[in-house]
Structures are given as C-alpha cells and as structure tokens.
Amino acid sequence: MSKSNTETGGPRPLFTTRLGVIATTVGSAVGLGNIWRFPYEAGVHGGGAFMMLYIAFIIILGIPLITAEYALGRATHRGIFGVFRALKAHRAWNALGYMGVLSAMLILSFYSVVAGWTLEYFFGAVGGAYTDVSREGLHTVFGEFTSGWRPLMWTVLFLVVNYLIISRGVARGIERISNVLMPLLFALIIIFCVNSLMLPDAAAGLTFLFKPDFSSLTAPVVIGAMGQAFFSLSLGLGCMLTYASYFNERTDIVKSATTTAALDTLIAVLAGVLIFPAVFSFGYSPEAGPKLVFEVLPAIFNEMTGGSVWASLFFFTLFIASLTSTISMCEIVVVFLCEEKKMKRRSACAVTIAVALVLGLLCAMSFGYFTGVELPLIGHPDFFSWFDYGTSNILLPLGGMLTSVFAGRVLDRKVFNRQITGSERPSALSRLIGFSLRYICPALIAVIFIVNL
Ligand code: TRP
C-alpha cells in the first residue's frame, strides 16, 4: 500500500495484489488474541465447551460480519465514520463510528502492554534468562516483572515502534515482513505443538481442550466465547471495514472473509494444542488468566534442546504478530482523525499514540502499582481487565450487532449484492449472508446479551 490519500488529498490507494489483502487482514486477525488470549480464556472457561462455542460463533457470526465490514469498506472506500456519511445514513449511525474509535483506543492500550511483555521475554530468552528456572521460578519471574517498572518501558517502546510504522503509512514494509513472519509463526507453532504433545501428561491437556463438558456451559462461558470470536477476528469496530476500504474491485470478499476466519481459527486451535498439554504435564492451573501463556511457554522451551534459541524466535515472531494487529487498530483511529477531523496523517498518528500511551501506562500499572484500586465492574477490578472485558465482551459484539443491522437492513440491497456478486442481482450466497445479517446475527447477539444480564 502506498501513501494514504488522507495525506496527499489524492485518490485512495488500493491494495494491488491478493496477497496484500490476505497478508494485511490475516496480519490484523492473527496476534495475541490467538496465542495469548484464546488459551487463557479457554482455560478460565472450562476448555472444550468454550472452544466448540468459539468455533460456532466464528462460523455463524464471524464470516457474515467480516463480509459485511468488507462490503461497507469497499463500497465507500471510507473508514468506520466516513462510511455512514458516504452512504448518507442517519446521523445516529455516527454513534457506531465513535464506538469503533473508542474501542480501538482501549484495545490498543491493554494490547500494547502484553506486546511489551513479549519484548521482555524475547530479550530475556536471548540472554538465556529462563533456561535454568524451575516452574515455580517462572511464576515468580512473571509476577516480579509485571509488578515492576519494566512493563511501562516496554509499553512505551512498543507504541513508539507503532508510531514509526503508521506515520509512514501502513507501508509496504509491514506487508512484506508479515508475508515472511506469519508463515514462520505458523511453522514454529507446529514444531512446539509436536514437542508439547510428547510431554508425559499430554492427553489430559487434549481432553481438556477437545472434550466439551457442556455441564460447564454458563452465561459467562457463552459471552466469553462470543467476545473471543470478535476479538480474534478484529471484528465489530470497523477494523476490517477500514482495511477493506483499500480493497480493489477484483477482491472476492466472501472468499477473503472465509480465508481470514479459517486461518485465524486454525492458529488459535493450534495455540491451544501447544499450551494445554504443557499446562497439565507441568501442573499449572488452566485458570491462571492472562499470565498463563507467559509462565507455560518458557517451561515448554526448557524441555527442548536449544530452548533459548526457540524461545527467542518464538517471542520475536509473537511480537511481530502483535505489531501487525496493533497497526490495524491504530489505522481505525488515524483514518477517523484524517477523514473527519482533517488532520495530517503524521499528527493523527501522534495523537493516537499519545492517547494510547496514557491509557497503556494505566494498564501496565494494573499488576503492581494499582493493586487494590477497584473499578466498578465486579470481578474486573483493574484497568487492564476492565478494558479487555469491556471491549471484547460488550463493545465489540454491540458494534457487530449494529453493523449487521446496518449492512442487512439499511444498506441498499443493490449495493450489497454488487459487493458480493459483482452485479446488482442477488445470488444464493448473497441471500444467505443477507439473511444472516438481518435476522441471525442481531438476534443471536441480543439474546446472549440479555441472558448475560
Ligand atoms: N485480532 C487481533 C488478535 O487476535 C486483535 C485485533 C486487531 C483487534 N485489530 C482489532 C481486536 C480490532 C478487536 C478489534 O490479536
């Protein structure tokens, strides 16, 4: 992708290759959501039943909703706010635009903290800091690290790297680096899965992940699985919509939506196969929460010859995977500031990163300085979990529900059909997706919200 039109005032640049489309959207979707958040959410919510539900939500809600975001983005070549103006929608729809920008900022903030952790672990692994550490030791290492000042430093550094990339436009460089590192990440995960499966108590982990115990199916499990599906697919706040505004007319959006969803889900499931056998063999609790992966992964690497090399490689790729996700979050806000507030791209990037810095530092301090500071949401007492829970489980599904109503009911059907089939007439596929957007998606999300209340 070349310079943004928002900077030059010229026509919007478009992705020229199919690879560009896949690399950027998969780059956005695949990240900490798959490797860090999925295992810890599955662990907290009972394993198998959570995973089945998560996959069901990807198919029932995820694919139609990515298609809807793609259709809206490509039809207008605008971001989450401009799309409603371009389609001359009622002003009330602007609320969805604001919600998107707000959620993007909140997610960017806590996500940058975890991305900072990957940097600490990368440099730690390079220096061999975890090789001789016992399992209890790894627990202490994580606790001491996150309650100190170093996470603040890494959060700042990570956000500065984001600034350097996005202020130059979502440049070629990031596309190229994801083309190389995404397959590498995939290969590494497979290698670690094999290692993990050879551990003594691997079967217990697999049973936990793949054998659904539907008696554990409670309202929090359902809403957690739905939230995870939205989070992992970068869905509900116009992220995919913003990227689709760079698609050209030849992109087959249903096919691209399905590919993105399939690859994203595959990586999440593999991350589960990698983590849970180790959790059970090493005697960790699957319910450890956000720290789960950071304590278990180094333990797996310790079992392998050349462990610190593998570990460094892994945390570095995880860092890149996080980066390709955060730049997609930044892009939502930057496009909003450029299109709606008429800012220059560079200033828009500076504002986005500055706000993320303030909020990010609040999240980074959640594990130490702010222990004991209570926020008003039962069970989620700190900024970090509050942003995490509030965006994934509330704002994203709500955004998804409104998007489905807009794409299914407000958007002119001819415009919708042209995006799906290339002509104004409907096809079986565009009817199916349209039906899902009009009835299934809004109703399902609404029911889950109501039950959860
Ligand atoms: N999907 C990414 C992940 O799994 C996170 C992400 C990127 C995201 N952009 C987003 C989440 C927009 C919600 C909305 O790591």
Side-chain angles (χ1 to χ4, degrees):
M1 191 162 44
S2 58
K3 263 186 167 179
S4 162
N5 69 321
T6 45
E7 192 171 19
T8 59
R12 202 180 189 78
L14 303 175
F15 296 135
T16 43
T17 61
R18 187 167 151 69
L19 188 62
V21 169
I22 295 295
T24 47
T25 52
V26 173
S28 167
V30 173
L32 294 169
N34 308 61
I35 295 158
W36 161 75
R37 198 175 189 280
F38 172 73
Y40 102 63
E41 281 282 317
V44 171
H45 290 124
F50 179 88
M51 188 168 85
M52 296 296 157
L53 270 177
Y54 161 71
I55 294 178
F57 283 129
I58 296 267
I59 297 169
I60 301 170
L61 299 176
I63 294 176
L65 275 167
I66 306 186
T67 309
E69 288 207 15
Y70 283 179
L72 290 169
R74 189 178 59 183
T76 58
H77 297 298
R78 287 284 170 278
I80 179 68
F81 208 94
V83 72
F84 301 114
R85 207 156 27 82
L87 292 167
K88 304 199 169 51
H90 190 280
R91 277 182 47 207
W93 286 102
N94 289 353
L96 182 52
Y98 284 121
M99 231 169 74
V101 174
L102 172 72
S103 328
M105 281 311 318
L106 297 178
I107 295 178
L108 179 59
S109 313
F110 77 83
Y111 201 100
S112 299
V113 175
V114 185
W117 297 350
T118 68
L119 280 172
E120 165 84 9
Y121 275 75
F122 165 67
F123 286 107
V126 168
Y130 311 113
T131 32
D132 293 325
V133 184
S134 68
R135 276 139 218 177
E136 301 72 43
L138 288 170
H139 178 75
T140 318
V141 165
F142 183 84
E144 282 174 357
F145 160 59
T146 47
S147 57
W149 57 271
R150 296 168 67 84
L152 308 187
M153 170 184 84
W154 293 124
T155 306
V156 173
L157 186 74
F158 181 76
L159 284 167
V160 169
V161 173
N162 273 269
Y163 173 77
L164 294 176
I165 293 169
I166 55 168
S167 60
R168 285 169 174 70
V170 182
R172 274 258 164 68
I174 200 77
E175 269 183 57
R176 258 188 233 142
I177 202 170
S178 359
N179 290 348
V180 177
L181 286 171
M182 287 297 165
L184 178 65
L185 180 71
F186 192 73
L188 286 174
I189 292 184
I190 305 245
I191 295 172
F192 300 139
C193 278
V194 172
N195 266 282
S196 196
L197 289 174
M198 291 187 317
L199 291 169
D201 225 358
L206 294 181
T207 309
F208 177 77
L209 184 64
F210 287 106
K211 197 156 168 249
D213 166 14
F214 286 110
S215 67
S216 65
L217 215 61
T218 55
V221 176
V222 178
I223 199 152
M226 177 172 74
Q228 176 59 26
F230 275 92
F231 186 89
S232 193
L233 293 177
S234 309
L235 212 53
L237 44 69
C239 186
M240 289 306 189
L241 185 153
T242 306
Y243 270 13
S245 71
Y246 301 114
F247 288 4
N248 67 31
E249 293 311 311
R250 287 188 309 280
T251 307
D252 179 335
I253 62 177
V254 180
K255 211 157 132 198
S256 307
T258 317
T259 312
T260 307
L263 287 174
D264 187 63
T265 310
L266 180 63
I267 297 208
V269 173
L270 285 176
V273 172
L274 156 60
I275 307 289
F276 286 109
V279 167
F280 283 85
S281 321
F282 298 156
Y284 288 108
S285 157
E287 293 171 26
K291 62 179 190 230
L292 179 72
V293 167
F294 286 89
E295 292 180 7
V296 175
L297 282 179
I300 301 178
F301 302 132
N302 280 347
E303 300 285 310
M304 301 168 65
T305 20
S308 56
V309 176
W310 292 113
S312 332
L313 209 58
F314 187 79
F315 283 114
F316 180 71
T317 13
L318 192 52
F319 160 72
I320 299 292
S322 320
L323 193 59
T324 55
S325 295
T326 48
I327 59 171
S328 75
M329 298 165 202
C330 293
E331 193 65 9
I332 301 172
V333 185
V334 169
V335 168
F336 164 74
L337 292 175
C338 290
E339 284 182 357
E340 306 308 315
K341 305 291 166 203
K342 307 292 173 231
M343 278 191 191
K344 283 256 166 36
R345 183 161 178 111
R346 216 166 260 279
S347 338
C349 293
V351 171
T352 307
I353 296 297
V355 178
L357 268 175
V358 175
L359 296 175
L361 290 179
L362 290 179
C363 294
M365 293 195 279
S366 292
F367 298 86
Y369 301 98
F370 284 165
T371 3
V373 179
E374 294 272 328
L375 288 173
L377 193 64
I378 299 146
H380 300 278
D382 56 69
F383 285 103
F384 184 98
S385 11
W386 205 65
F387 287 6
D388 183 357
Y389 184 92
T391 49
S392 307
N393 294 1
I394 300 168
L395 288 173
L396 297 183
L398 189 60
M401 181 160 89
L402 296 173
T403 308
S404 67
V405 171
F406 187 83
R409 293 176 183 273
V410 181
L411 183 67
D412 184 347
R413 297 244 179 122
K414 285 185 194 144
V415 175
F416 181 74
N417 291 337
R418 205 179 312 122
Q419 292 305 318
I420 311 281
T421 66
S423 98
E424 290 184 353
R425 269 179 297 144
S427 66
L429 192 60
S430 72
R431 282 213 186 87
L432 178 67
I433 296 172
F435 179 82
S436 166
L437 291 172
R438 275 189 292 286
Y439 301 102
I440 301 177
C441 297
L444 184 58
I445 300 172
V447 167
I448 293 172
F449 272 141
I450 292 165
V451 170
N452 203 57
L453 291 178

